[in-house]
Amino acid sequence: MVGVGEPLEGGKLKKVFRLVAVIAAAAIAATAFVAPSATAASKVKVGLAYDIGGRGDKSFNDSAAAGLDAAKKKFGVTAKEVTVTTGSDSEREDKLRLLAKAGYNPIIAVGFLYAGPLKAVASDYPNTQFGIVDDASVDLLNVAGLIFSEEQGSYLAGVAAALASKSGKIGYIGGVRIPLLQKFEAGFVAGVKATKKSATVDVKYVTEFPDFSGFNDPAKAKVIAKGMIDKGTDVIYSAAGGSGAGNFAAATDAAKAGKKVWTIGVDSDQYLTASAAEKKNMLTSMIKRVDRAVYDVIATAVAGSSVNDVLDESGIYGRVYDLSLGGVGVSYSGGYINKYKAQIDKAAAAIKSGKIKVPTKP
């Protein structure tokens, strides 16, 4: 997918990897591929290094875990999962070295914060294949950058938010004010404004860079959401990892007080893991197919391919998961946005055709 137009923090997107895509799980689209023997697949040992929060965050990390689970079910690969607790570069590097030293290959790092540590480890283990979600800055032949067009999926979420809002007051809560999360913001605001010019979007971040605790502070996110609700906001999109739970809790409290506030989840279809009370307010989720990216990397290893085997004609590698690849989108669980499907589909088609160019910066 060269030429998708996905600017990244830290400079140009250098790598667009043409992975050997083998997608054959229930929620993952299939592509043609010669199946490896069961013996060959069983020899693949996958290392998965989660971001802060790890498996069970009902968001970003859980989406990665779903990709691993699908690959384990399909291919019978073995895996080791590790999670950082402090989030320091030294801890991240230690986790990756632990996996590399133990012979795990491929190793997938979940989150751009692994970029520096991954570069150090991948340099020392040139025969090990690595993938990293949300980063394309590691310029090594054994590292694949797995990038998403979050702004495109967020635009569609913005369309849904504008159509569902009665007050015309909409909120966006980001985990940490960084370029990646500002892509979500930019796309969401653009979708809202394109659908309802009179609507306003109140933008808040849980923490400011370099404080990354904003991805796992639901209490603070709840305070922010409550403040928005008190001002009349009736739809709030949270792209904040584990902190998003605070948004859902605030909407649940508002419902008890007789106020209808819609929430929009992120990364995974959060309706599927929400409580009964939360489901009543969950308009949709902006789905970011981290599961698909993780599955693709594992499928490539199972096929016996390496990064060098799948270099495209431009000699650059990586992959951009955009709307055209089904890498981002919105969920219809709960049925609340079914009545808006025609408008959402129209916007998606315009984005794919290039008629709508979604901004990546506020």
Side-chain angles (χ1 to χ4, degrees):
M1 284 300 298
V2 178
V4 172
E6 166 102 311
L8 296 171
E9 61 273 18
K12 292 182 178 179
L13 174 61
K14 297 179 180 178
K15 305 182 290 184
V16 183
F17 183 118
R18 229 173 264 287
L19 290 166
V20 177
V22 189
I23 317 297
I28 303 177
T31 54
F33 161 71
V34 178
S37 68
T39 301
S42 65
K43 290 182 179 180
V44 174
K45 296 169 55 180
V46 181
L48 188 60
Y50 294 113
D51 207 341
I52 293 174
R55 182 189 279 263
D57 71 344
K58 299 182 180 180
S59 184
F60 186 65
N61 290 298
D62 271 358
S63 184
L68 173 62
D69 291 343
K72 288 168 70 174
K73 182 178 180 179
K74 176 65 178 180
F75 304 120
V77 299
T78 58
K80 183 176 181 63
E81 303 166 55
V82 297
T83 304
V84 292
T85 53
T86 67
S88 66
D89 280 357
S90 60
E91 182 190 19
R92 290 177 190 278
E93 184 172 335
D94 287 345
K95 296 291 186 182
L96 293 174
R97 285 193 182 280
L98 172 70
L99 294 171
K101 186 176 182 180
Y104 288 90
N105 186 8
I107 295 171
I108 305 163
V110 185
F112 68 93
L113 291 172
Y114 276 100
L118 178 61
K119 184 174 183 178
V121 176
S123 296
D124 291 342
Y125 290 87
N127 295 321
T128 298
Q129 303 299 306
F130 295 85
I132 178 169
V133 177
D134 285 343
D135 183 83
S137 68
V138 183
D139 194 15
L140 295 172
L141 294 179
N142 61 329
V143 178
L146 309 168
I147 309 303
F148 297 80
S149 294
E150 295 92 351
E151 75 283 357
Q152 294 182 357
S154 295
Y155 185 100
L156 301 185
V159 172
L163 293 171
S165 176
K166 292 183 177 180
S167 68
K169 296 180 179 180
I170 297 165
Y172 170 79
I173 300 176
V176 183
R177 195 186 303 272
I178 51 176
L180 175 62
L181 270 294
Q182 288 179 306
K183 284 173 63 182
F184 288 81
E185 174 195 338
F188 183 64
V189 173
V192 169
K193 300 298 287 185
T195 307
K196 186 180 292 183
K197 291 183 180 180
S198 61
T200 59
V201 182
D202 186 4
V203 175
K204 295 286 190 298
Y205 284 87
V206 182
T207 59
E208 298 291 328
F209 177 85
D211 180 0
F212 287 95
S213 66
F215 288 121
N216 198 28
D217 193 344
K220 189 171 181 180
K222 183 178 180 180
V223 171
I224 294 172
K226 185 179 183 304
M228 291 179 174
I229 294 169
D230 288 344
K231 294 178 181 177
T233 298
D234 62 357
V235 184
I236 304 176
Y237 174 32
S238 51
S243 293
N247 180 29
F248 308 150
T252 299
D253 287 351
K256 293 176 182 176
K259 293 182 180 180
K260 181 62 178 181
V261 178
W262 289 111
T263 61
I264 298 177
V266 75
D267 294 333
S268 59
D269 184 352
Q270 294 194 291
Y271 182 92
L272 302 179
T273 54
S275 68
E278 291 169 343
K279 286 181 177 180
K280 293 178 181 179
N281 308 311
M282 194 165 291
L283 182 67
T284 182
S285 292
M286 195 290 280
I287 299 177
K288 177 176 173 178
R289 298 300 302 273
V290 176
D291 60 330
R292 181 171 182 169
V294 169
Y295 187 98
D296 279 358
V297 172
I298 298 170
T300 299
V302 169
S305 297
S306 69
V307 173
N308 286 326
D309 290 333
V310 291
L311 284 174
D312 69 13
E313 63 277 7
S314 301
I316 55 179
Y317 58 100
R319 195 171 209 188
V320 179
Y321 291 86
D322 61 1
L323 274 176
S324 66
L325 284 181
V328 292
V330 289
S331 70
Y332 285 82
S333 296
Y336 302 124
I337 65 168
N338 287 350
K339 56 188 174 182
Y340 310 137
K341 190 174 187 303
Q343 294 99 314
I344 293 170
D345 287 348
K346 182 178 179 181
I351 292 171
K352 291 176 185 178
S353 70
K355 183 177 181 180
I356 293 177
K357 300 198 179 294
V358 184
T360 57
K361 295 180 180 179

